[in-house]
Amino acid sequence: MQSVIPDYLAEALGDVESDTSGEPADYIPELATADPELLGAVFATVDGEVYGAGDIDTEFTIQSISKPFVYALALTDRGFDPVLAKVGVEPSGEAFNRISLESDTGRPFNPMINAGAITTHSLAGPAGMDPQERVERVVRGLSAFAGRGLRVDERVCVSEMEHAHRNLAIAYMLRGYDILIEDPRVVVEGYTRQCSVLVTARDLAMMAATLAHRGVNPLSGERVVSEPVVRQVLSVMSTCGMYDAAGDWATQVGIPAKSGVAGGLIGALPGQIGIATFSPRLDPHGNSVRGVSLFERFSSDMGLHVMEVPAAARATLRSNHVVGSGPDAVRVLQLQGGIGFAGAERVVREAVTTAPTETRVALDLTMVYVVDDVARRMLLEVVRRLTLDGHQVYLVDPDAIMPDPDPGDGGRVTVVSEVGQGVVPPREAAPRRGRPEEGGGVPGS
Ligand code: GLU
């Protein structure tokens, strides 16, 4: 069977193809020569699967899509405080190249507008790094996000530098406020090289998937940046990534995103996928017209809005039933899915409201695929309190989803691989895997 996803992507491209509104960016002359008909879309999953349709291997310059990634590099290389001292995290609601800075501090509002991005470029690499080496650090860092070696398009870089008057004006203002402490022209040259790095839609989807995958590139397995850095970057992307269209985007699409004036657009959905589209015609905000339509469609077709309420918490407790009878009876709380705070809270509540009368209590994790850190601590605390209340507690965990479970002070837990093993005699084994238990009785007796 062929995967349905490339067909879905091809159909989505077909639907937006007839929209020829907007124009390729022309303030950088070299970008105006782009073929406006180019169109591609890619999904990259956090486990490295790539689905694409259309022009997904055509190279174009990354432009502003470099901004979140270089912000991530600056946070990694310098730490949060030094970066936050120079660049804020407030949406400016203004165009990307607006010459505006916070009135008191002179700080750029955020790292997604040019003033902030020029500053974060200057903060990549260790303090005092030679500007040329800094550009190399940036290109290497972007390459690590993409999982392949990237290079600069010299023609676009020269073309942009010849018309970089606004960015130079911004940089000189930043120098005036001591936000930049080097020659503004040198920083703008480095920033322009950063914007001229060539990528494909496939690369961009993988870069976004690295953010979606907590900073680890799904293909190379390399940890590019830490989880706190990813959280910071995705937060800023979701509030400031789409310039003055950020509010519309947040409500209609709801995926942390970043656009670039060469026609690229990325979205990163934490824990799920990285998405990239490419189409050079831009709307008045500087965002790709067809890219925005595609993202609107992806978000509504597949429920990808980050504020979409997950069903997981409600469904965590699959059943609460008793296996066996008399002194052999075991109270089994059967859990399922991925368990975070809300799911663990559901288990805590169940343990409190239906205080088990059976001596033996089992938490059955057979159908659980992940328990996050807070849920782990909460479940272990449930185990500890049940022990203190006089119960014998078992963890049914055949796949070691919760390795080394230590409930701490006064708690005790026995790990078994099925309910029948060491918890109840085999003839009274648990319900078959994958089938909901109807409750009550002893199967097969
Ligand atoms: N290099 C471009 C600039 O600074 C990037 C703008 C963009 O992609 O939005 O003007």
Short mmCIF file of all heavy atoms in Angstrom, two decimals, residues 27-28 63-65 67 96 114 160 167 191 195 243 259-262, ligand 1:
data_model
loop_
_atom_site.label_atom_id
_atom_site.label_comp_id
_atom_site.label_asym_id
_atom_site.label_seq_id
_atom_site.Cartn_x
_atom_site.Cartn_y
_atom_site.Cartn_z
N TYR A 27 12.73 43.84 -3.10
CA TYR A 27 13.67 44.80 -2.49
C TYR A 27 15.08 44.22 -2.44
O TYR A 27 16.05 44.92 -2.25
CB TYR A 27 13.18 45.23 -1.10
CG TYR A 27 13.37 44.21 0.00
CD1 TYR A 27 14.44 44.33 0.88
CD2 TYR A 27 12.51 43.14 0.13
CE1 TYR A 27 14.64 43.39 1.89
CE2 TYR A 27 12.70 42.21 1.13
CZ TYR A 27 13.76 42.32 2.00
OH TYR A 27 13.95 41.39 2.99
N ILE A 28 15.16 42.88 -2.62
CA ILE A 28 16.46 42.26 -2.87
C ILE A 28 16.40 41.82 -4.34
O ILE A 28 15.68 40.87 -4.67
CB ILE A 28 16.69 41.04 -1.96
CG1 ILE A 28 16.59 41.45 -0.48
CG2 ILE A 28 18.02 40.38 -2.25
CD1 ILE A 28 16.63 40.30 0.52
N GLN A 63 16.54 33.28 4.34
CA GLN A 63 16.10 34.61 4.79
C GLN A 63 15.69 34.58 6.27
O GLN A 63 16.39 34.03 7.09
CB GLN A 63 14.99 35.15 3.87
CG GLN A 63 15.47 35.34 2.43
CD GLN A 63 16.60 36.36 2.29
OE1 GLN A 63 16.78 37.23 3.13
NE2 GLN A 63 17.41 36.24 1.24
N SER A 64 14.51 35.13 6.56
CA SER A 64 14.15 35.29 7.98
C SER A 64 13.89 33.97 8.71
O SER A 64 13.78 33.97 9.94
CB SER A 64 12.90 36.15 8.11
OG SER A 64 13.26 37.48 8.01
N ILE A 65 13.77 32.88 7.97
CA ILE A 65 13.55 31.60 8.68
C ILE A 65 14.81 31.22 9.46
O ILE A 65 14.76 30.41 10.39
CB ILE A 65 13.11 30.49 7.68
CG1 ILE A 65 11.85 30.94 6.97
CG2 ILE A 65 12.87 29.16 8.39
CD1 ILE A 65 11.43 30.05 5.82
N LYS A 67 16.09 33.20 11.50
CA LYS A 67 16.08 33.96 12.76
C LYS A 67 15.83 33.09 14.01
O LYS A 67 16.57 33.20 14.99
CB LYS A 67 15.05 35.10 12.69
CG LYS A 67 15.47 36.21 11.70
CD LYS A 67 14.35 37.23 11.51
CE LYS A 67 14.73 38.33 10.54
NZ LYS A 67 13.58 39.23 10.26
N PHE A 96 8.51 43.56 9.56
CA PHE A 96 9.80 42.95 9.93
C PHE A 96 10.96 43.94 9.92
O PHE A 96 11.92 43.78 10.67
CB PHE A 96 10.11 41.76 9.01
CG PHE A 96 10.46 42.13 7.58
CD1 PHE A 96 11.78 42.23 7.18
CD2 PHE A 96 9.47 42.36 6.65
CE1 PHE A 96 12.11 42.56 5.88
CE2 PHE A 96 9.78 42.69 5.35
CZ PHE A 96 11.11 42.80 4.96
N ASN A 114 13.87 42.38 12.25
CA ASN A 114 15.27 42.51 11.84
C ASN A 114 16.18 43.06 12.94
O ASN A 114 17.30 42.59 13.12
CB ASN A 114 15.38 43.38 10.60
CG ASN A 114 14.94 42.61 9.36
OD1 ASN A 114 14.41 41.50 9.47
ND2 ASN A 114 15.14 43.18 8.19
N GLU A 160 21.69 41.51 -1.76
CA GLU A 160 21.03 42.07 -0.58
C GLU A 160 21.90 43.13 0.08
O GLU A 160 21.42 44.19 0.49
CB GLU A 160 20.68 40.97 0.44
CG GLU A 160 20.03 41.57 1.68
CD GLU A 160 19.32 40.58 2.59
OE1 GLU A 160 19.27 39.39 2.25
OE2 GLU A 160 18.83 41.02 3.63
N ASN A 167 18.66 47.90 6.95
CA ASN A 167 19.28 47.08 7.99
C ASN A 167 20.51 47.77 8.57
O ASN A 167 20.79 47.68 9.77
CB ASN A 167 19.64 45.70 7.44
CG ASN A 167 18.40 44.80 7.31
OD1 ASN A 167 17.37 45.09 7.92
ND2 ASN A 167 18.50 43.76 6.52
N TYR A 191 24.92 39.04 9.19
CA TYR A 191 23.48 38.73 9.20
C TYR A 191 22.98 38.45 7.78
O TYR A 191 22.17 37.53 7.56
CB TYR A 191 22.73 39.91 9.83
CG TYR A 191 21.25 39.91 9.56
CD1 TYR A 191 20.40 39.04 10.24
CD2 TYR A 191 20.69 40.78 8.62
CE1 TYR A 191 19.03 39.03 9.97
CE2 TYR A 191 19.34 40.78 8.35
CZ TYR A 191 18.52 39.90 9.03
OH TYR A 191 17.16 39.88 8.76
N CYS A 195 21.19 35.13 6.17
CA CYS A 195 19.92 35.11 5.43
C CYS A 195 20.08 34.47 4.06
O CYS A 195 19.11 34.05 3.44
CB CYS A 195 19.38 36.53 5.25
SG CYS A 195 18.79 37.26 6.78
N TYR A 243 5.32 38.30 12.00
CA TYR A 243 5.33 39.77 11.92
C TYR A 243 4.00 40.36 12.38
O TYR A 243 3.40 39.91 13.33
CB TYR A 243 5.65 40.23 10.49
CG TYR A 243 6.91 39.65 9.96
CD1 TYR A 243 6.93 38.99 8.75
CD2 TYR A 243 8.09 39.75 10.67
CE1 TYR A 243 8.10 38.46 8.24
CE2 TYR A 243 9.26 39.23 10.17
CZ TYR A 243 9.26 38.58 8.97
OH TYR A 243 10.40 38.05 8.48
N SER A 259 8.27 32.78 8.69
CA SER A 259 8.28 32.91 7.23
C SER A 259 9.57 33.61 6.80
O SER A 259 10.24 34.25 7.61
CB SER A 259 7.09 33.73 6.78
OG SER A 259 7.23 35.05 7.30
N GLY A 260 9.89 33.50 5.52
CA GLY A 260 11.04 34.21 4.95
C GLY A 260 10.65 34.84 3.63
O GLY A 260 9.77 34.31 2.94
N VAL A 261 11.33 35.94 3.25
CA VAL A 261 10.91 36.65 2.04
C VAL A 261 11.25 35.93 0.74
O VAL A 261 10.80 36.36 -0.33
CB VAL A 261 11.46 38.10 1.98
CG1 VAL A 261 10.79 39.00 3.00
CG2 VAL A 261 12.97 38.13 2.12
N ALA A 262 12.01 34.84 0.80
CA ALA A 262 12.22 34.08 -0.44
C ALA A 262 11.06 33.12 -0.71
O ALA A 262 11.04 32.44 -1.74
CB ALA A 262 13.54 33.31 -0.37
N1 GLU B 1 17.29 39.28 4.74
C1 GLU B 1 15.98 39.85 4.85
C2 GLU B 1 16.04 41.20 5.51
O1 GLU B 1 16.66 41.36 6.53
C3 GLU B 1 15.11 38.91 5.62
C4 GLU B 1 13.70 39.39 5.69
C5 GLU B 1 12.68 38.29 5.72
O2 GLU B 1 12.89 37.17 5.25
O3 GLU B 1 11.58 38.54 6.22
O4 GLU B 1 15.52 42.15 5.01
#
